[in-house]
Amino acid sequence: MNRETVLTEALDLLDEVGLDAVSTRRLARRLGVEQPSLYYHFRNKKELLGAMSEAAMAPHATAPLPTPADDWRDWFLENTRSFRRTLLLRRDGARLHAGSSPGGTDLDRIAHKMAFLAAAGVPEEHARTAMLAAGRFTVGSVLEEQADTDPGDGGDRRAAGPPDLPPVLPPDVPPMDHESSFEAGLALILEGLEQQVRRAG
């Protein structure tokens, strides 16, 4: 049993039971080992979850970096969409990722992206703010989307509310189109960044 095997099984467990039910005891049972065996690879659950978050982000973390020939607006949109798609690949993907910090090669990739935006004429301060805003907007959007489609809730969240309280929304209100809402919000972020670039120019 190596680290990669543990992470693969941990992510599969996440998809099956959700983040709240992931535990080192449950993972050990799935792997057919004693719980202390996991501590050879991960000192505690927090370290395991951090490694799971990093592994889950691999599709986005290995996506092609921008080149000087790319239009910065198109790249900004696609980079954010790639982040969203990756979070959606795993059950509770946004919750798993929330609060994590980049490190190692992630920092190098961020530096490359920032340099690309700067070379395209985007002021560094605005580029940094827009990237942060887009990232946090994406995590928040996916948190809502995954909560709305949680396979464990077993019901229609439009009509679900706390006991003895009226429904959150009337049953005749159509369900939210999460992708369209995400695209509308992303367009507003890009529009704001474009305005700042024009003012700086």
Side-chain angles (χ1 to χ4, degrees), residues 66 68 75 108-122 124 127:
W75 173 83
D108 294 335
R109 289 177 62 86
I110 291 171
H112 182 104
K113 294 174 180 181
M114 294 299 297
F116 163 75
L117 290 172
V122 181
E124 180 180 353

Side-chain angles (χ1 to χ4, degrees), residues 59-67 70 75 78-79 82 109 112-113:
H60 180 65
T62 56
L65 288 167
T67 68
D70 292 329
W75 173 83
E78 176 53 32
N79 181 68
S82 168
R109 289 177 62 86
H112 182 104
K113 294 174 180 181

Side-chain angles (χ1 to χ4, degrees), residues 30-49:
R30 182 186 181 93
L31 288 163
V33 299
E34 296 295 325
Q35 188 175 354
S37 300
L38 297 178
Y39 300 142
Y40 177 79
H41 303 286
F42 305 100
R43 290 174 296 179
N44 49 49
K45 182 178 177 180
K46 181 178 180 180
E47 190 172 294
L48 171 64
L49 292 176

